[in-house]
Amino acid sequence: MERDEVFMRRALALAEEAARRGEVPVGAVVVFDNRIVGSGYNRRESTQSPLAHAEIVAIEEACATIGYWRLENCELFVTLEPCIMCCGAIVQARIRRVVFGARDPKGGAAVSLYTLLSDSRLNHRCAVVEGVLAAECGTVLSTFFRRIRAAEKLADSE
């Protein structure tokens, strides 16, 4: 578990960077052979792309680093439970293990897809570990959205 926390702290630092840039604070790292081969944070606002989720940015960088699109010996560490789109990318990239921090009650899909990913009829298995640094990951998100709501409230009162 200590190893998971080390990589999750790197993802958390990326989430904090995303927040500083005005992006939804989610960070992700892809690990191969105990080294980071891909990393990213949400860039949807800056790129104006619905595909610029932290997980997908990190997966694309890992594919470029490794030189192959199948990442079956890799792990993904992400601060927020992946959404349905990101779970699809995880399955397609053949990531073998996903570790996430905070649950996403609105759009999270990793835990519900775990049963699908574990189905013996599939040729790909993906282990899902949840709750690594969950409090810290959740705090970054809640602080970000609290600031946005406060700014909106201030703008409405003017």
Side-chain angles (χ1 to χ4, degrees), residues 89-131:
I90 290 164
V91 170
Q92 292 304 310
R94 305 293 196 259
I95 300 277
R96 75 172 169 86
R97 183 170 178 256
V98 175
V99 179
F100 71 87
R103 276 269 180 113
D104 184 349
K106 292 183 179 179
V111 174
S112 62
L113 278 180
Y114 178 75
T115 54
L116 169 66
L117 297 175
S118 298
D119 191 313
S120 61
R121 294 171 291 187
L122 298 177
N123 63 1
H124 175 66
R125 306 285 185 281
C126 181
V128 178
V129 177
E130 68 172 297

Side-chain angles (χ1 to χ4, degrees), residues 5-27:
E5 289 181 9
V6 167
F7 290 119
M8 187 60 80
R9 288 206 184 282
R10 178 64 183 129
L12 192 55
L14 291 164
E16 290 167 344
E17 178 63 25
R20 281 191 289 279
R21 294 174 181 260
E23 299 278 358
V24 175
V26 179

Side-chain angles (χ1 to χ4, degrees), residues 31-146:
V31 174
F32 172 73
D33 199 23
N34 282 320
R35 65 183 172 90
I36 295 173
V37 293
S39 62
Y41 53 82
N42 275 350
R43 295 178 184 182
R44 294 180 301 201
E45 298 301 321
S46 62
T47 63
Q48 295 292 292
S49 171
L51 301 177
H53 287 235
E55 299 94 316
I56 293 175
V57 172
I59 287 170
E60 287 179 333
E61 185 175 294
C63 290
T65 300
I66 292 174
Y68 193 64
W69 68 271
R70 289 196 174 201
L71 304 174
E72 54 229 340
N73 294 315
C74 294
E75 302 167 281
L76 173 71
F77 293 82
V78 61
T79 56
L80 181 65
E81 178 182 6
C83 68
I84 290 171
M85 180 181 71
C86 292
C87 283
I90 290 164
V91 170
Q92 292 304 310
R94 305 293 196 259
I95 300 277
R96 75 172 169 86
R97 183 170 178 256
V98 175
V99 179
F100 71 87
R103 276 269 180 113
D104 184 349
K106 292 183 179 179
V111 174
S112 62
L113 278 180
Y114 178 75
T115 54
L116 169 66
L117 297 175
S118 298
D119 191 313
S120 61
R121 294 171 291 187
L122 298 177
N123 63 1
H124 175 66
R125 306 285 185 281
C126 181
V128 178
V129 177
E130 68 172 297
V132 176
L133 301 182
E136 293 95 326
C137 294
T139 297
V140 169
L141 285 158
S142 62
T143 300
F144 177 80
F145 286 111
R146 195 169 36 251

